[in-house]
Amino acid sequence: MIHINSFAWNANGKNKAMLAPEIYSFFKDDYNGERQNWDVSSSSSGATYFANTLGLLRYDGENWSLYKTSNILRAVYCSNDTIYVGGNGLMGYFLEKELHKGFQALTKIENDIWKIFRLNELIIFQSFDKIYHVNSEGLVGIERFKNGNTTFTYPIGEKIIYQISYGKLMATTPNGNERVICDTPEIGKFLVKYISQLSADTFLIGTLKNGLFTLSNNKLTPFNTPINDFIKTNKLNKIIRIDNDNYAFATMNGGVIIGDLSGQIIYVLNRSNGLSNNRVHAIYKHQDRFLWIATDNGVSLIDLKNPVLFFNNQFIELGAFYDIAMLNDTYYVGTNQGLYKITPFKNQTSVFEIELIKGSEGQVWNIDVIGNTLWIGHNNGTYLLDGAQLKQVSKVAGGYTMLQSQFDPDIVYQTSYFGVAVYKKTNKRWQLHYSITDIDELTRDVVELRDGSLIISGAANTLFHIWPDNENRKYTVKNLSLLPQMRNTNWVRAFDINGQVLITSNDTSFYYGADESSYACPKAFNKASYISEVINNHVFVRHNKQLTLYNLKTDTIVPLAYNLNNIEDDLIFKYERITQPINGQIMLCLSDRIAYTNLNKLKTAQINSVTPSITDIQCSNDRTGQEGTFRADEAIPYKYNTLQFTFTAFRYGLKSSYEYMLEGYNDSWQSRKDNRAVFQNLREGTYTFKVREKDGSLINSLAICIAPPPLRSKLAYAAYAVLLIILSIVLRYTFHQTHKKKAYLRLQKERKRLNDLRILKSRQQLGEEVKQLQEEVSSKSNKLANLLLQNNKKKEIIDKINGELKHIRENHRFVDGRQIDRLSKMIKVNFDEKKDWLVFEAAFSEAHTHFFQKLRTKHPNLTDLDLKLCAYLKVNLSSKELAPILKITTRSVDLKKYRLKKKLNLSKDQSLKQYIMDFDD
């Protein structure tokens, strides 16, 4: 019995490893679901769906999405754009274009759905005790298993085949009768996990613990193959057919084994070479090349058509791989853990036994087969493999490159930690002949020129040309680092390209001849950090983190469907090794495994061109971070004018590079290594987003429209038009009103001017009148004053006459007294002081209207005598002039004026005369 899944060290110190496609595994942290995945299916769009414990998982080769359900999903089946799902109390579907709307129930159930498939026009949901069939109109029918429960049902032709658990095989049809197709007692001992039809009367039966059988004429015949032994050991769970000859067998404990029914094992996939878990719940073939494996802890994917396979065992610490060679149909691998012998396991093509060669523990730098002898450059010295034993040939450590001389096959040159070692074969035995010690540093590359001289590269930027004299153990060394083209080098390498010596460095590359001449090399070699040995006129070239295949015959880089950059990063920097151990095989030594391919398979591998799908469009506000909702048939609001496009080519394990453009924004293709393109703060308008695979011809296009901001919308422009019309009307009205107002103001101004002229003229006229009046008043005042003075003079004269008359009467005896009395009476009648005052008052009031009334109103405490005094003062009579009128002394007049001033409440500084003169003016 073969225990392929057992990788513990055996007593003989051997272990096993597999050669298989690269396994890409995804775990709960990758897809944000739960560990268990129960089923897998893919839709016509190219996306893959998984029935996860938390709900429906979607993967498009770039991004994962989880659509949660209320309970565990156990089954998923894609039909066009509908994803049917079933699980614990769940039976329904998701619409692929409306996944965000979530799970849609078809009917309410109490049991679990474990399998979904199509039978003609019906979708079948299967639980342990019944099947539900759903027609194209969504009507649900139910069929209960009459004879017991089952595990899984299988559509074969028009029928559904199943086993009554640990019982007979049955066939049924929806709305039909059940019939027995196998009731042999032997089948009741097994739990059937798989049924398919091999021919008209022969079925392939897979059982949980008892392996594979053929069923024909009610007779079971077991398989006797290594694959069957594997299945029986690890418990079968699922089987799918890969192609006409091969099947994938999923087990409960041992992962997946791929092979044919004759027992030939193609691949073994388990945790040791990258499978997410050995307990497999479902397997599914996708796009005719990918194999999905749903396990108890994550999901895994392999590319069945990948031209590159990998040799490894993750449970064995083999270390980093530095070199590989083949001798006598046995592979030898040098790692930093030692030298390993690798042999096919019992004639299998993908399973190998690994054995560590005792005494080789430590760093192995180089392995070469020279003269049917295996040379090993080790950290501790240089060894030869003699049978199964290592034999040290020298203590030269760090052997990096070994070269057998073309001119003398008995000479071998070896670069090392220190200088160059020269070995010579004498009496059929190899031994150290001498060392070239003038190069007192680590050496790496050694290439022999056509004249037998050597080119040696140092560890850094040194390069030497050596002319050895092996017969006399002498040599001549020239330091080529002093060449003009080498002055600015930081590192340098030397390679043999079909007998030509190629020198490459960080800033130059050229061919170097035996005559010390240099000449141009192909551009593909420029600044190459590594060039492999020539393999059928091809070399692998590494530079700038890129690995390409170059055809020396056609002088071109070979376009490959498989991207060599998938493995370029795993090459060990400065210790790259890509070699052809035997014709037709190419081995690439990587940091933790070995990649295997052949030139023809690598060059002819096909990857169909596809049109990338645009899987998501997000619109957001770049300033606030607020997100909007994109709808294909609606314009995007301007406030969400930052767009992110997500796209995929559904390449899955194959790396994709993309190019995109946004017509209306830019008109050139932009390269993109990831699957997102972001455009920030787009202006309003119509754009067309285009995406394709890098250098591809199939383009996906999507037209989008950014609505204008509210201030630039059609409604806004309509409002602007209305406002413009209103504004023009308002402006016109305002202009008209302004014009009228200006005309009115001009008219008013003219009227005011004319009025001012009239007023001015009136004022002038009035001024003249006032002046005239003032002159008249002044004249009248003067006249009044003069009148008073004249009256006073007259009074004085009359008083003198009265005095004289009185004197005459008293002193003259002969005077008639009656005549004198008559004269006195006549004088008294014609000269009355009261009458004189009334005359004066009348004349004064005519000159100074309302003077007395106003003065009495303002100063009610004034007496008539005070008013009389004010009138006298108004006509500008002085105290001296007033004294005779008032018949008092001048001092008495001043006293009266003083008393009047007090009555008028004038301050000390105020002039009484001036106050009276100004009053009522």
Side-chain angles (χ1 to χ4, degrees):
M1 184 177 294
I2 302 175
H3 299 284
I4 294 177
N5 67 316
S6 174
F7 292 96
W9 287 102
N10 299 325
N12 62 359
K14 296 179 180 179
N15 210 324
K16 298 179 181 67
M18 280 81 67
L19 191 63
E22 184 165 15
I23 300 176
Y24 304 91
S25 289
F26 306 92
F27 300 94
K28 61 181 295 184
D29 289 340
D30 297 312
Y31 52 71
N32 294 320
E34 258 304 333
R35 297 179 185 275
Q36 296 86 357
N37 294 279
W38 301 95
D39 199 7
V40 55
S41 181
S42 66
S43 70
S44 57
S45 71
T48 305
Y49 293 87
F50 302 87
N52 183 266
T53 296
L54 284 185
L56 181 68
L57 277 176
R58 182 183 189 273
Y59 184 53
D60 61 16
E62 300 283 0
N63 301 106
W64 288 92
S65 302
L66 172 65
Y67 303 93
K68 290 186 177 182
T69 53
S70 59
N71 221 325
I72 298 173
L73 289 188
R74 303 285 190 186
V76 59
Y77 176 79
C78 298
S79 177
N80 297 322
D81 65 343
T82 303
I83 298 93
Y84 294 98
V85 295
N88 187 1
L90 297 174
M91 177 180 158
Y93 63 92
F94 288 82
L95 293 177
E96 189 167 32
K97 294 181 180 179
E98 299 177 349
L99 289 169
H100 62 280
K101 292 185 177 180
F103 172 76
Q104 310 292 316
L106 283 167
T107 188
K108 185 175 181 181
I109 62 172
E110 300 297 333
N111 49 7
D112 285 6
I113 299 297
W114 283 89
K115 189 171 183 178
I116 307 172
F117 56 87
R118 176 179 288 278
L119 185 70
N120 298 326
E121 298 303 316
L122 299 177
I123 301 296
I124 306 298
F125 292 78
Q126 178 232 310
S127 68
F128 288 145
D129 62 344
K130 59 177 72 74
I131 61 172
Y132 303 84
H133 45 86
V134 183
N135 65 17
S136 59
E137 296 178 354
L139 297 177
V140 179
I142 304 174
E143 303 285 336
R144 184 179 295 276
F145 300 125
K146 298 182 178 64
N147 298 298
N149 294 339
T150 188
T151 52
F152 292 111
T153 56
Y154 304 90
I156 298 177
E158 302 290 324
K159 298 179 177 60
I160 298 173
I161 310 297
Y162 65 95
Q163 181 200 29
I164 299 300
S165 295
Y166 290 99
K168 51 195 172 184
L169 295 183
M170 307 293 295
T172 187
T173 58
N175 301 315
N177 296 321
E178 294 180 330
R179 69 179 182 85
V180 177
I181 62 171
C182 177
D183 58 358
T184 175
E186 189 177 9
I187 202 168
K189 301 175 184 179
F190 312 136
L191 183 62
V192 174
K193 301 288 285 185
Y194 178 78
I195 306 171
S196 68
Q197 194 166 19
L198 296 176
S199 63
D201 57 356
T202 303
F203 294 88
L204 175 63
I205 306 296
T207 66
L208 177 66
K209 298 179 181 179
N210 303 91
L212 301 175
F213 297 85
T214 56
L215 172 65
S216 181
N217 298 321
N218 210 34
K219 181 181 178 182
L220 289 172
T221 303
F223 284 79
N224 185 20
T225 63
I227 287 180
N228 208 30
D229 294 336
F230 177 89
I231 291 172
K232 286 190 279 188
T233 301
N234 294 288
K235 297 182 181 180
L236 180 69
N237 192 18
K238 300 285 179 64
I239 301 175
I240 65 168
R241 196 163 189 165
I242 299 297
D243 52 38
N244 290 335
D245 299 319
N246 300 304
Y247 293 79
F249 305 91
T251 69
M252 303 291 284
N253 302 315
V256 176
I257 188 168
I258 298 175
D260 58 26
L261 296 182
S262 69
Q264 181 66 37
I265 298 174
I266 299 175
Y267 305 129
V268 178
L269 312 172
N270 56 31
R271 287 188 63 203
S272 70
N273 58 358
L275 194 66
S276 61
N277 193 266
N278 283 343
R279 191 175 188 86
V280 179
H281 295 307
I283 49 178
Y284 180 80
K285 188 180 179 184
H286 180 203
Q287 293 182 356
D288 198 36
R289 71 180 299 152
F290 297 110
L291 184 67
W292 282 105
I293 304 169
T295 76
D296 206 47
N297 183 24
V299 296
S300 295
L301 170 71
I302 67 169
D303 181 3
L304 296 169
K305 294 185 178 181
N306 196 323
V308 178
L309 305 179
F310 295 90
F311 173 87
N312 71 332
N313 184 335
Q314 295 183 0
F315 294 154
I316 306 173
E317 183 55 49
L318 297 176
F321 293 80
Y322 281 82
D323 206 354
I324 185 169
M326 174 172 272
L327 179 63
N328 300 327
D329 297 325
T330 301
Y331 291 103
Y332 292 90
V333 177
T335 78
N336 58 7
Q337 302 295 318
L339 179 67
Y340 290 92
K341 177 182 178 182
I342 301 175
T343 54
F345 181 74
K346 293 189 178 182
N347 298 319
Q348 295 295 328
T349 59
S350 62
V351 184
F352 298 85
E353 286 187 336
I354 304 173
E355 179 184 0
L356 179 67
I357 303 297
K358 292 182 179 179
S360 70
E361 294 85 351
Q363 175 71 60
V364 174
W365 295 107
N366 175 246
I367 306 172
D368 267 307
V369 176
I370 300 176
N372 205 34
T373 301
L374 191 70
W375 290 66
I376 300 101
H378 197 280
N379 203 49
N380 298 328
T382 303
Y383 297 85
L384 302 178
L385 185 65
D386 185 8
Q389 301 295 320
L390 284 181
K391 179 182 177 182
Q392 189 171 33
V393 67
S394 77
K395 292 186 177 180
V396 175
Y400 180 76
T401 305
M402 296 175 191
L403 175 68
Q404 186 177 21
S405 174
Q406 301 177 44
F407 297 92
D408 186 354
D410 290 338
I411 293 293
V412 171
Y413 301 104
Q414 179 192 38
T415 57
S416 66
Y417 284 156
F418 185 82
V420 179
V422 182
Y423 296 89
K424 186 174 183 179
K425 189 176 183 181
T426 305
N427 298 325
K428 298 183 180 181
R429 293 183 59 190
W430 290 98
Q431 59 185 4
L432 180 63
H433 189 44
Y434 71 100
S435 294
I436 300 174
T437 56
D438 281 8
I439 304 175
D440 56 351
E441 60 180 273
L442 185 149
T443 55
R444 298 185 64 188
D445 304 313
V446 53
V447 184
E448 191 174 37
L449 292 164
R450 292 176 181 176
D451 64 349
S453 60
L454 306 174
I455 296 296
I456 305 291
S457 68
N461 60 348
T462 53
L463 185 70
F464 304 94
H465 191 170
I466 300 176
W467 290 266
D469 180 0
N470 295 323
E471 190 68 28
N472 299 306
R473 301 184 184 183
K474 294 181 180 179
Y475 51 85
T476 301
V477 178
K478 181 179 180 180
N479 190 343
L480 299 182
S481 306
L482 303 177
L483 291 173
Q485 58 264 50
M486 300 291 292
R487 288 175 182 170
N488 298 317
T489 58
N490 296 322
W491 55 264
V492 63
R493 298 293 305 270
F495 304 101
D496 184 351
I497 308 296
N498 284 338
Q500 294 178 291
V501 178
L502 175 68
I503 308 298
T504 69
S505 70
N506 60 287
D507 66 343
T508 185
S509 298
F510 55 90
Y511 283 126
Y512 184 79
D515 58 354
E516 302 184 55
S517 62
S518 59
Y519 48 100
C521 66
K523 281 186 177 181
F525 296 158
N526 191 35
K527 301 180 183 180
S529 60
Y530 172 75
I531 299 174
S532 73
E533 62 185 66
V534 178
I535 303 171
N536 296 339
N537 277 319
H538 291 76
V539 291
F540 291 89
V541 182
R542 187 188 197 190
H543 51 60
N544 297 329
K545 293 185 179 274
Q546 289 186 332
L547 185 64
T548 56
L549 181 65
Y550 180 74
N551 188 323
L552 294 168
K553 190 173 182 180
T554 62
D555 192 20
T556 57
I557 293 175
V558 180
L560 300 176
Y562 177 81
N563 190 348
L564 290 174
N565 289 335
N566 290 326
I567 54 177
E568 180 275 336
D569 195 47
D570 286 340
L571 291 168
I572 303 174
F573 181 61
K574 291 189 176 182
Y575 294 94
E576 300 90 344
R577 184 72 62 162
I578 302 175
T579 184
Q580 181 177 235
I582 60 173
N583 190 35
Q585 293 183 351
I586 299 174
M587 301 286 192
L588 298 90
C589 294
L590 307 177
S591 58
D592 59 352
R593 54 189 174 165
I594 292 176
Y596 165 88
T597 187
N598 70 60
L599 197 59
N600 185 58
K601 183 182 283 189
L602 192 63
K603 291 172 65 176
T604 59
Q606 296 284 330
I607 297 180
N608 295 330
S609 297
V610 297
T611 302
S613 294
I614 300 171
T615 56
D616 187 37
I617 301 173
Q618 295 181 4
C619 48
S620 62
N621 187 307
D622 190 51
R623 294 170 294 280
T624 65
Q626 184 181 7
E627 294 186 359
T629 301
F630 174 79
R631 293 182 176 87
D633 55 346
E634 296 181 8
I636 300 169
Y638 185 79
K639 67 177 179 179
Y640 302 123
N641 63 345
T642 291
L643 303 185
Q644 175 179 280
F645 296 87
T646 305
F647 36 84
T648 181
F650 298 107
R651 291 298 188 196
Y652 295 102
L654 304 174
K655 292 182 179 178
S656 291
S657 295
Y658 301 93
E659 293 178 320
Y660 66 88
M661 73 164 67
L662 187 65
E663 288 185 349
Y665 178 79
N666 63 346
D667 296 323
S668 60
W669 290 101
Q670 309 293 316
S671 295
R672 192 79 183 182
K673 288 186 177 180
D674 61 19
N675 66 320
R676 288 181 174 83
V678 178
F679 302 91
Q680 294 179 314
N681 300 322
L682 295 172
R683 287 189 60 83
E684 69 269 20
T686 300
Y687 302 87
T688 300
F689 178 74
K690 294 184 176 181
V691 62
R692 68 184 182 186
E693 288 193 281
K694 188 173 177 60
D695 300 323
S697 59
L698 300 179
I699 300 171
N700 194 353
S701 300
L702 177 67
I704 60 168
C705 179
I706 304 290
L711 294 179
R712 291 201 293 268
S713 65
K714 290 182 179 179
L715 184 61
Y717 283 122
Y720 297 153
V722 172
L723 287 175
L724 188 61
I725 293 171
I726 294 173
L727 183 61
S728 65
I729 294 171
V730 170
L731 288 175
R732 189 173 180 180
Y733 175 78
T734 303
F735 177 78
H736 180 68
Q737 291 299 109
T738 302
H739 182 71
K740 284 180 65 179
K741 185 175 181 180
K742 286 182 177 179
Y744 174 76
L745 289 176
R746 284 197 301 271
L747 181 60
Q748 289 292 96
K749 187 175 181 181
E750 183 64 20
R751 286 178 176 176
K752 184 176 183 300
R753 187 181 70 81
L754 295 174
N755 189 51
D756 289 343
L757 287 174
R758 285 195 297 270
I759 292 172
L760 179 61
K761 192 173 181 179
S762 298
R763 283 181 178 176
Q764 289 176 347
Q765 186 176 357
L766 182 62
E768 291 176 357
E769 292 177 355
V770 169
K771 185 176 180 182
Q772 186 177 354
L773 289 173
Q774 286 177 342
E775 289 176 352
E776 289 179 1
V777 169
S778 178
S779 175
K780 288 180 179 180
S781 295
N782 291 332
K783 286 180 179 181
L784 287 173
N786 290 331
L787 179 62
L788 285 173
L789 292 175
Q790 288 175 4
N791 286 338
N792 190 48
K793 287 290 185 180
K794 290 177 179 179
K795 186 179 178 182
E796 287 178 358
I797 293 171
I798 289 171
D799 284 342
K800 286 181 178 180
I801 293 173
N802 281 330
E804 285 294 329
L805 290 174
K806 185 179 179 182
H807 180 73
I808 292 173
R809 185 177 182 180
E810 287 178 356
N811 295 316
H812 296 279
R813 293 180 182 177
F814 301 106
V815 176
D816 189 356
R818 288 181 296 177
Q819 289 180 344
I820 291 175
D821 289 335
R822 193 169 51 251
L823 287 173
S824 295
K825 186 177 180 180
M826 186 183 299
I827 292 171
K828 187 176 181 181
V829 171
N830 290 287
F831 186 77
D832 188 354
E833 288 185 5
K834 188 174 182 180
K835 185 178 178 182
D836 289 341
W837 165 250
L838 291 174
V839 172
F840 173 81
E841 184 180 19
F844 181 86
S845 296
E846 184 180 352
H848 301 284
T849 309
H850 307 303
F851 175 79
F852 294 115
Q853 182 182 349
K854 292 179 180 178
L855 189 62
R856 191 180 292 276
T857 301
K858 189 171 183 180
H859 303 285
N861 59 337
L862 296 179
T863 64
D864 291 339
L865 292 176
D866 293 330
L867 293 175
K868 189 181 291 187
L869 177 60
C870 288
Y872 294 155
L873 291 174
K874 183 71 174 177
V875 295
N876 200 21
L877 295 178
S878 65
S879 297
K880 187 176 180 181
E881 291 171 328
L882 286 173
I885 295 173
L886 299 177
K887 297 180 180 181
I888 55 176
T889 64
T890 303
R891 187 172 181 182
S892 295
V893 173
D894 290 337
L895 181 61
K896 278 183 176 289
K897 290 169 66 175
Y898 173 76
R899 289 173 181 167
L900 178 61
K901 184 177 181 179
K902 288 188 70 176
K903 284 185 178 183
L904 295 175
N905 294 320
L906 300 180
S907 64
K908 188 176 181 180
D909 297 331
Q910 283 182 289
S911 170
L912 174 64
K913 184 178 180 180
Q914 191 63 42
Y915 177 77
I916 297 299
M917 291 293 291
D918 294 338
F919 192 83
D920 193 37
D921 284 347

